[in-house]
Amino acid sequence: MILVLKTGVTEAEIRAIEEAVRRAGASPILVEGKERSVVAVVGSAKVEPRDFELLPGVSQALRVTKPYKLASREVKSEDTVVRLGEISIGGERVVVIAGPCAVEGRKMMLETARRLSEMGVTMLRGGAFKPRTSPYSFQGLGEEGLKILAEAREATGMKVVTEVMSPDKVELVAGYADVLQVGARNMQNYDLLRECAQIRKPILLKRGLSATIDEWLQSAEYVLQAGRNREVILCERGIRTFETATRNTIDLNALPVLHERTHLPVIVDPSHGTGVRSCVPPLAMAAVAAGADGVMVEVHPDPDRAVSDGPQSLTFEMLERLLRDLEVIAPVMRKRLDLSTKRPAPRPAGARCRAEAAAFQGEHGAFSEKAARQFFGDFVKTSPTLSFRGVFEKVASGECRYGIVPIENTLGGSVHQNYDLLVEFDVHIVGETKLRVVHSLIANRGVRLEDIRRIYAHPQAAAQCEKFLRQRPAWSILQVYDTAGSVKMIKEEGAMDAAAIASTDAAARFDMEVLKEGIESDPRNYTRFLAISREPARSGDKVSLVYGTANRPGALFRTLEVFARHKMNLTKLESRPIAGKPWEYLFYVDATEDLSDRRLAAAIGILRKHTTFLKVLGIYPSAS
Ligand code: PEP
Ligand code: MN
C-alpha cells in the first residue's frame, strides 16, 4: 500500500504516519518526489487503507497492484536519476559504460582506461570477480583486480562498475567500486541482493538469463526494500531463446515496458546480449532508439587475445565509431550522449560565481531549460530569465556561472539577437547541445480542437509550425516570448477558446491537456543551443568567430583562405547586415579544427590582419 501525502504535510505529521505504519506491523519508507511524496507501507503484515486514511497529512491510501512497490511507477512517478559526481544515469542523458570483460592485468587495464577516457567515456567496466560457466575458465584477479580498477579511476576520473558475486564480498567491492554489478546468474541470489540493500552505492542489476520482467523488478525490490539503498540501474543483457545464431537474444521490448512500470533507469548490454562483435554497434543504437538510458559494452585493446569474451569485444576504433553514431541518435530520442570531452571546465578555485546555475530565457518547462539539463545534467540549477539579454547579464555579472541560449534552428535559421549579445558581452561559448524540438498544441482540460480561436505562441515556435497553422486560417495568433510561458498564460486566464504551442513537458508542468503532439512542419526540427560562461572552455575542436571585412574585392576570400590553409573545416558561414551601417556586413563563422592551440592562435592572428573587426566567441567541444 502507499500513503499519498498532502502537499504541505509537516515533519511531525510524517513522523506520526511512520509510527502508525510501524504499529500496524509494517515498515514505512518515505519516497519524496517533485510532484507528490508518499509513504510506502512495506512488509508482510496485512494492512487496510482505512487504518491510515484519517491520519493528518495523508490524502489517500492506495493499494499497489504490482508485486513490487518501491520499484514501481505507482510509488514514484518521476524517473530516478542516479548521480555519480557529474554523471547522471537516467533522465535526459545517455551514458556509455565500456571496458574489458575482465581485469586481465594492470598494464592493459590502465591503457584501456586511458584510451576510453580520451574518447570521453565516463564509466569504466571490468570484472575482478568473474562468474564463469566453466570452473576451469579464468576466474578473475579478485582484490588485486579491484585495486587496479581503483588506480584506473584515479588516473582518469572515470567511475568504476564491477561485479560482486557473493554477500560476503559486498563490503570489499563497495570499498573500491562506484557502482556494484549483480550479474545475470545472480539476479535471484537473494542473500546477495539483501546485502546490496545495506550499502549506499548504486547497484547495476542485470536481468537473469530466463527471468521475466516482473521477476527482475522483484529482485530490484530486494535492494530497495530496506529503504537505505534507493539506486538500482537495470541492465537488459539478453535472454535465452531457441535462437542459437547469437549468444542470447536482446529483449528490446523490455525497454518501453520497463519505462512504463518502473522509475528506475534502464541500460542495455549488447555485448553479452549478442555475443558477436559485429552485432554490438547496431544493437547499441537500437537500444538507444528504444529508450535506453545507456549502454554497456565490452572493449579490449586486442580482442582476439582477450582472456574472456574476446569474440564480443569491440576494438577501440569500433567504439569510437559507435560513439559518433550514438551522438546523432540520442537527440532524436530527446537525450544527449554524455561524454566527458564535451563538458564545460570544472569550476576553477576561487571563482566568484554564487551558484553553479544556468540562466535560461523563459518559464520553467521551456525548451531552453531542457537544453540546459541535457547539457549540464539534471543536477544543474536552472534560473529563469525574461529575455536573452537577461541571460547574458546574469552570466556576465557572475550571478549564474552558465547561461544557455538558442543560436540556430533547422527550420527557423539563426537567432541573430544572440549573436549580437555574444559580440556585446564579455562571455565565452563553452559548449553546444542540439535538441530535437517537438511542438504540441496545449489547452486547458476540456477544450476541444474545434473550440480553438486563438493561439498563444512564441514567434519562433509559430514559424516552426507554419504548415499546421496555415491549414487553420481562422485562428488568430498572439505573440508570446516564451513557449512554456504561453501555456501558463492560458492556464491563468482559464481560456476555453485558446491553445498554446509548447513542449509536452510544459503541458505536464502546468497540468494541461495535449490536444495534438508533433505539429512542427518537419520532424527533423532541431535547435542548437550554446552554453556560455565568463570563463573559457578547457579546450575544444570548434571555434566560433564574428568578423567584418573591408568593402574591397577579394576581402572575404582572403579570410576564407586562412581556414583552407590551416585545414580548418568551415561548418557555418553566414553574413548579416550591420545595424546602422547600410550595406556593410558581419560574418558568422564556425570551423572545426584539429589544430594545436599555438597553430590556432597563429591562424587567428592572420585573420585579424584581413578583417576590420574580429571577435573569437569561443573555442569549445562540438556536438555532432
Ligand atoms: C559481465 O557483465 O561481465 C557479465 C558476466 O555479464 P552477465 O552477468 O550479464 O553475463
Ligand atoms: Mn563478459
Side-chain angles (χ1 to χ4, degrees):
M1 189 183 313
I2 54 171
L3 310 177
V4 181
L5 303 181
K6 287 185 179 152
T7 42
V9 61
T10 65
E11 277 296 313
E13 283 168 344
I14 294 177
R15 296 291 90 83
I17 294 165
E18 288 174 332
E19 201 36 52
V21 172
R22 278 189 211 102
R23 271 200 310 272
S27 304
I29 294 181
L30 177 65
V31 182
E32 285 168 296
K34 282 196 200 107
E35 279 165 28
R36 62 171 202 183
S37 294
V38 307
V39 170
V41 182
V42 299
S44 52
K46 281 259 164 298
V47 285
E48 290 298 326
R50 64 187 137 73
D51 297 343
F52 307 106
E53 249 157 10
L54 296 175
L55 292 174
V58 173
S59 82
Q60 244 183 329
L62 300 171
R63 287 209 186 278
V64 176
T65 52
K66 300 282 190 313
Y68 42 87
K69 293 189 176 78
L70 295 163
S72 77
R73 281 259 184 228
E74 292 170 66
V75 163
K76 184 165 178 259
S77 59
E78 68 233 33
D79 290 341
T80 286
V81 178
V82 172
R83 280 171 197 160
L84 297 162
E86 293 189 347
I87 302 167
S88 323
I89 305 168
E92 287 156 351
R93 299 216 270 186
V94 170
V95 73
V96 173
I97 305 172
C101 177
V103 181
E104 295 172 11
R106 184 171 176 274
K107 191 160 169 280
M108 73 73 77
M109 200 62 224
L110 294 180
E111 165 66 8
T112 303
R114 186 183 61 79
R115 288 291 297 269
L116 295 175
S117 162
E118 279 168 10
M119 286 182 216
V121 174
T122 54
M123 293 188 66
L124 182 67
R125 64 151 285 148
F129 296 98
K130 293 301 305 174
R132 303 307 300 279
T133 306
S134 163
Y136 306 118
S137 303
F138 174 65
Q139 304 288 310
L141 296 181
E143 188 168 0
E144 180 54 30
L146 296 176
K147 287 187 178 151
I148 295 171
L149 285 169
E151 192 181 343
R153 171 184 42 217
E154 207 52 44
T156 60
M158 295 167 91
K159 302 289 177 192
V160 164
V161 187
T162 194
E163 178 155 355
V164 59
M165 281 170 52
S166 59
D168 61 313
K169 294 285 192 314
V170 169
E171 215 182 298
L172 173 77
V173 177
Y176 293 97
D178 300 292
V179 175
L180 278 71
Q181 173 174 324
V182 171
R185 291 155 196 82
N186 272 319
M187 189 204 87
Q188 289 180 314
N189 180 342
Y190 300 118
D191 284 343
L192 176 61
L193 296 173
R194 260 189 228 103
E195 205 53 43
C196 288
Q198 301 305 320
I199 59 165
R200 302 260 178 177
K201 293 214 165 160
I203 305 299
L204 186 114
L205 179 62
K206 295 192 111 182
R207 181 180 185 174
L209 272 68
S210 56
T212 65
I213 291 173
D214 271 5
E215 286 164 347
W216 186 13
L217 287 172
Q218 287 176 77
S219 289
E221 190 79 8
Y222 266 90
V223 179
L224 302 173
Q225 57 157 349
R228 272 202 199 100
N229 196 341
R230 306 263 169 129
E231 302 193 316
V232 175
I233 303 155
L234 299 166
C235 178
E236 163 62 41
R237 48 79 72 209
I239 50 176
R240 275 282 159 84
T241 67
F242 55 81
E243 183 53 70
T244 55
T246 48
R247 183 173 170 182
N248 292 293
T249 298
I250 298 184
D251 178 15
L252 289 178
N253 300 11
L255 287 154
V257 172
L258 283 167
H259 280 314
E260 227 163 76
R261 293 191 186 179
T262 180
H263 51 86
L264 299 170
V266 188
I267 67 163
V268 170
D269 168 357
S271 304
H272 294 89
T274 64
V276 184
R277 188 178 307 152
S278 62
C279 295
V280 171
L283 267 300
M285 290 190 270
V288 173
D293 298 303
V295 293
M296 174 151 97
V297 291
E298 287 183 341
V299 192
H300 196 281
D302 187 358
D304 293 332
R305 296 230 172 85
V307 174
S308 58
D309 286 349
Q312 69 193 32
S313 297
L314 299 179
T315 60
F316 293 130
E317 292 70 29
M318 287 176 85
L319 178 67
E320 205 158 14
R321 213 173 312 140
L322 174 61
L323 293 179
R324 285 181 63 77
D325 287 339
L326 291 180
E327 205 176 343
V328 177
I329 294 171
V332 177
M333 298 310 295
R334 297 172 231 174
K335 291 183 185 240
R336 173 180 189 249
L337 184 66
D338 188 16
L339 295 176
S340 62
T341 46
K342 310 254 159 164
R343 294 230 194 91
R347 184 186 194 133
R352 273 174 301 153
C353 300
R354 264 190 271 140
E356 291 284 291
F360 71 97
Q361 187 262 330
E363 287 278 346
H364 286 296
F367 286 105
S368 292
E369 187 181 38
K370 187 173 168 72
R373 276 204 314 270
Q374 203 180 79
F375 186 75
F376 297 106
D378 293 88
F379 49 82
V380 71
K381 285 194 221 83
T382 49
S383 172
T385 311
L386 276 178
S387 62
F388 290 138
R389 175 171 290 277
V391 174
F392 281 80
E393 281 168 354
K394 280 191 175 178
V395 175
S397 68
E399 188 180 334
C400 289
R401 186 170 177 212
Y402 298 110
I404 195 117
V405 288
I407 198 72
E408 187 176 359
N409 172 268
T410 48
L411 294 177
S414 291
V415 183
H416 295 294
Q417 197 192 340
N418 283 329
Y419 269 111
D420 292 344
L421 291 163
L422 279 166
V423 173
E424 182 183 333
F425 280 83
D426 194 13
V427 298
H428 304 266
I429 304 172
V430 295
E432 61 177 0
T433 192
K434 291 171 187 170
L435 188 72
R436 181 175 168 208
V437 174
V438 177
H439 288 295
S440 293
L441 195 69
I442 297 162
N444 278 302
R445 299 212 172 269
V447 173
R448 292 162 310 160
L449 205 56
E450 49 275 28
D451 303 331
I452 305 230
R453 300 284 173 275
R454 301 178 293 140
I455 298 292
Y456 284 42
H458 189 292
Q460 284 261 349
Q464 291 164 29
C465 301
E466 195 268 335
K467 257 195 220 163
F468 178 81
L469 294 173
R470 192 167 6 109
Q471 288 156 4
R472 290 157 181 85
W475 290 358
S476 57
I477 299 176
L478 293 111
Q479 292 198 349
V480 180
Y481 282 87
D482 175 12
T483 54
S486 62
V487 178
K488 191 177 176 196
M489 282 171 85
I490 56 168
K491 166 130 189 156
E492 281 171 357
E493 249 184 54
M496 297 305 278
D497 65 339
I501 297 178
S503 68
T504 49
D505 278 6
R509 186 173 276 274
F510 294 104
D511 190 30
M512 300 282 274
E513 192 138 24
V514 175
L515 292 182
K516 193 166 167 59
E517 191 175 345
I519 59 168
E520 65 280 7
S521 303
D522 189 308
R524 287 161 300 177
N525 185 32
Y526 293 88
T527 298
R528 187 161 60 91
F529 290 84
L530 297 177
I532 55 171
S533 178
R534 281 203 305 194
E535 306 129 28
R538 244 176 314 189
S539 62
D541 59 337
K542 185 164 181 177
V543 56
S544 290
L545 308 157
V546 178
Y547 59 72
T549 58
N551 189 3
R552 236 198 337 259
L556 177 62
F557 173 75
R558 293 269 125 68
T559 65
L560 299 184
E561 204 182 17
V562 179
F563 296 104
R565 254 195 283 122
H566 287 81
K567 296 202 167 38
M568 292 164 78
N569 185 27
L570 279 193
T571 54
K572 175 168 180 164
L573 172 63
E574 187 175 341
S575 68
R576 138 136 221 255
I578 302 175
K581 294 186 178 172
W583 323 121
E584 285 188 39
Y585 299 89
L586 275 181
F587 297 97
Y588 306 145
V589 174
D590 285 351
T592 51
E593 41 82 30
D594 227 347
L595 295 180
S596 65
D597 292 352
R598 206 168 47 81
R599 297 249 307 148
L600 179 62
I604 291 170
I606 302 169
L607 268 177
R608 280 196 202 282
K609 293 204 191 104
H610 296 298
T611 51
T612 50
F613 149 85
L614 180 144
K615 184 171 180 190
V616 179
L617 302 178
I619 298 167
Y620 54 97
S622 64
S624 291

